[in-house]
């Protein structure tokens, strides 16, 4: 009998790591298969329209693309031990950290994979080759890896990884590791003894790239051993174990992480919203392209330019919706927390042009 769910992806893939950790935590009946050349050709490209991983396929052949959609689809089918906290403030923090992991920490992840390539060349190339052609010899896999990894290597300048920003990226990442290390010295997961959607957002970049590629993995093991242990825990969780902290409590040790997120990531998110709105005003009824040119950004004190990723609005909307749905005492507590971490004004943004995903397509439309 085949499994109820099949996850097509790869050990080297950031977003596959997010979905895999979730499936394991929920104790679901799944198999993971590599996204081989054949899988891309016969399943992913025909059904999604682009070569992107991971995708989840059910035993009755429904396909779900995008890890947030995958998690929400599975949460609806398997509601025991939800990964979205009930408490309004915990849920807000979890959504913000999912967004941060998914969309911003891709920057250090891709930096530490590709800017130090000379020191981990064979490992990286072979990983790409092994996913594409699991049966090929090691040399052949390295050769295939060189070819198919080219678009990823070539994308780092678009992500904002350049000579002028690398120091800032490394500084911000070192700061994050120190902050998270302090947190995970005290707690198993972000919000207690159960992983939340925020943990799954963070594990994407912190496993496949930063916790597994040889150079950043050594850095993490050496400088942030508690984070490294959290990475292991996320990959070998007690299925459906643990609880969120009582009384909707958000540990103080997360405040510095949220403050960095608000300082670096939220200005980028707000500008994506503004640029998406402009595009949708200019192209009513159109499908938003995945990338809308370049815009300035700052991280760890360094400034550069990076691409405007229209999709970011879709994840950011989830944070805004959560904040804006809070009432009374929950709202007051959220305001205090957000004012402390410098995110209050950004969270009060009213979106003029909401976006939605169309199942099976990567471009967004106006909701
Ligand atoms: N938001 C998507 C992102 C998926 C994604 O970007 N996957 C990468 C590999 S980890 C990829 O296949 N990129 C190719 C592309 O974006 O065209 C998710 O959560 O699944």
């Amino acid at each position: 009998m085949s499994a109820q769910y099949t996850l097509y992806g790869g050990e080297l893939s950031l977003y596959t790591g997010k979905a895999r950790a979730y499936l394991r935590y929920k104790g679901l009946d799944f198999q993971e298969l590599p996204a081989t050349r054949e899988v891309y050709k016969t399943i992913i490209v025909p059904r999604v329209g682009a070569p992107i991983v991971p995708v989840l396929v059910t035993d009755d052949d429904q396909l779900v693309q995008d890890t947030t959609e995958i998690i929400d689809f599975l949460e609806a089918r398997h509601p025991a031990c939800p990964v979205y906290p009930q408490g309004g403030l915990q849920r807000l923090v979890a959504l913000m950290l999912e967004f941060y992991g998914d969309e911003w920490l891709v920057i250090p992840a891709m930096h530490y994979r590709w800017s130090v390539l000379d020191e981990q060349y064979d490992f990286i190339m072979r990983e790409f080759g092994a996913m594409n052609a699991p049966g090929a010899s090691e040399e052949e896999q390295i050769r295939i890896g060189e070819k198919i990894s080219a678009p990823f290597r070539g994308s780092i300048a678009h992500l904002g990884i350049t000579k002028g920003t690398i120091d800032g990226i490394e500084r911000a990442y070192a700061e994050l590791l120190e902050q998270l290390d302090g947190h995970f010295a005290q707690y198993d997961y972000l919000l207690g003894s159960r992983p939340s959607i925020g943990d799954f957002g963070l594990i994407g970049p912190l496993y496949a790239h930063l916790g597994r590629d040889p150079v950043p993995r050594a850095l993490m093991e050496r400088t942030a051993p508690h984070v490294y242990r959290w990475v292991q825990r996320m990959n070998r969780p007690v299925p459906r174990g643990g609880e969120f902290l009582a009384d909707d409590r958000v540990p103080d040790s997360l405040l510095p992480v949220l403050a960095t997120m608000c300082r670096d990531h939220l200005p980028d998110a707000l500008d994506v919203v503004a640029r998406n709105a402009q595009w949708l005003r200019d192209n009513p009824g159109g499908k938003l392209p995945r990338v809308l040119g370049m815009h300035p950004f700052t991280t760890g004190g360094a400034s550069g330019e990076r691409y405007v990723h229209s999709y970011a609005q879709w994840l950011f909307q989830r944070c805004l919706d959560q904040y804006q749905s809070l009432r009374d005492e929950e709202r007051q507590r959220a305001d205090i927390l957000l004012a402390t971490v410098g995110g209050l004004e950004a969270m009060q943004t009213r979106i003029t042009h909401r976006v939605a995903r169309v199942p099976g397509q990567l471009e967004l439309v106006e909701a």
Side-chain angles (χ1 to χ4, degrees):
M1 273 259 305
S2 68
Q4 187 178 9
Y5 300 109
T6 301
L7 183 69
Y8 290 103
E11 201 74 13
L12 80 171
S13 143
L14 189 150
Y15 298 96
T16 304
K18 178 183 172 192
R20 179 193 307 117
Y22 170 82
L23 284 153
R24 287 185 180 162
Y25 172 68
K26 295 291 279 201
L28 299 180
D29 173 27
F30 81 105
Q31 59 177 341
E32 183 175 333
L33 296 178
T36 60
R37 196 177 315 165
E38 199 55 24
V39 166
Y40 273 109
K41 201 168 98 191
T42 58
I43 301 174
I44 301 178
V45 174
R47 293 178 70 173
V48 181
I52 193 158
V53 286
V55 297
L56 183 86
V57 179
T58 64
D59 53 1
D60 60 352
D61 203 35
Q62 297 183 62
L63 180 144
V64 190
Q65 182 273 322
D66 189 277
T67 51
T68 297
E69 302 268 29
I70 291 172
I71 290 175
D72 289 359
F73 172 86
L74 294 170
E75 283 290 282
R77 287 179 148 212
H78 306 278
C81 300
V83 302
Y84 289 95
Q86 278 305 313
L89 199 57
Q90 288 186 346
R91 186 183 287 230
L92 173 66
V93 165
L95 287 168
M96 288 172 72
L97 293 176
E98 181 201 22
F99 179 40
Y100 191 45
D102 268 37
E103 287 292 309
W104 196 257
L105 298 181
V106 177
I107 303 173
M110 292 292 271
H111 162 60
Y112 279 106
R113 173 164 290 178
W114 298 113
S115 311
V116 292
L117 186 60
D118 287 354
E119 295 162 66
Q120 48 189 17
Y121 190 86
D122 284 6
F123 177 87
I124 302 291
M125 293 308 163
R126 181 144 184 246
E127 285 289 301
F128 273 88
M131 179 171 87
N132 192 263
S137 70
E138 200 168 313
E139 293 72 44
E140 183 69 355
Q141 287 178 343
I142 291 178
R143 203 188 54 73
I144 295 170
E146 285 169 342
K147 195 167 141 217
I148 63 170
S149 67
F152 292 92
R153 295 166 78 172
S155 73
I156 65 172
H158 281 102
L159 285 167
I161 304 162
T162 59
K163 277 206 181 75
T165 59
I166 283 177
D167 281 354
I169 293 168
E170 294 191 349
R171 204 173 308 123
Y173 179 58
E175 207 176 271
L176 175 73
L177 280 185
E178 194 184 331
Q179 293 162 349
L180 284 179
D181 208 56
H183 176 80
F184 290 129
Q186 304 169 65
Y187 300 94
D188 278 354
Y189 297 103
L190 292 172
L191 294 167
S193 55
R194 175 188 301 186
S196 70
I197 187 70
D199 292 88
F200 296 112
L202 294 185
I203 195 64
L206 287 168
Y207 173 57
H209 297 57
L210 297 164
R212 185 164 180 273
D213 291 347
V215 173
R217 173 188 164 150
L219 176 73
M220 185 191 286
E221 271 191 277
R222 192 177 69 247
T223 63
H226 296 102
V227 179
Y228 191 69
R229 279 202 281 282
W230 165 83
V231 170
Q232 314 305 312
R233 213 158 34 243
M234 287 294 287
N235 280 317
R236 280 194 294 278
V238 178
R240 296 182 297 279
E243 293 298 338
F244 297 124
L245 294 168
D247 304 323
D248 198 22
R249 188 165 74 80
V250 172
D252 284 350
S253 46
L254 289 182
L255 300 184
V257 182
L258 290 166
T260 309
M261 188 254 182
C262 293
R263 182 195 71 196
D264 287 3
H265 189 187
L266 288 189
D268 184 276
L270 291 175
D271 197 51
V272 168
V273 169
R275 293 194 186 225
N276 283 353
Q278 187 58 50
W279 193 93
L280 289 165
R281 269 194 293 273
D282 294 344
N283 303 273
K287 279 192 203 165
L288 257 175
R290 292 175 70 190
V291 175
L292 291 178
M294 303 287 281
H295 64 173
F297 81 107
T298 300
T299 190
S303 297
E305 286 219 308
R306 68 192 300 268
Y307 72 153
V308 180
H309 194 212
S310 58
Y311 166 93
Q313 180 178 334
W314 183 71
L315 277 187
F316 183 42
Q317 269 176 202
R318 290 160 46 93
C319 308
L320 293 178
D321 289 349
Q322 175 57 22
Y323 168 68
Q324 291 170 10
S325 75
L326 298 176
R327 298 281 170 270
D328 307 328
E329 192 242 332
E330 279 191 327
R331 179 67 168 252
Q332 282 165 20
R333 291 174 56 235
D335 285 350
I336 293 170
L337 179 132
L338 288 170
T340 309
V341 298
L344 185 55
E345 206 182 318
M347 282 297 160
Q348 285 172 345
T349 303
R350 291 281 164 190
I351 294 206
T352 56
H353 294 69
R354 286 180 68 84
V355 295
R357 294 192 82 231
V358 183
Q361 289 180 17
L362 294 178
E363 296 85 4
L364 302 168
V365 292
E366 187 161 357

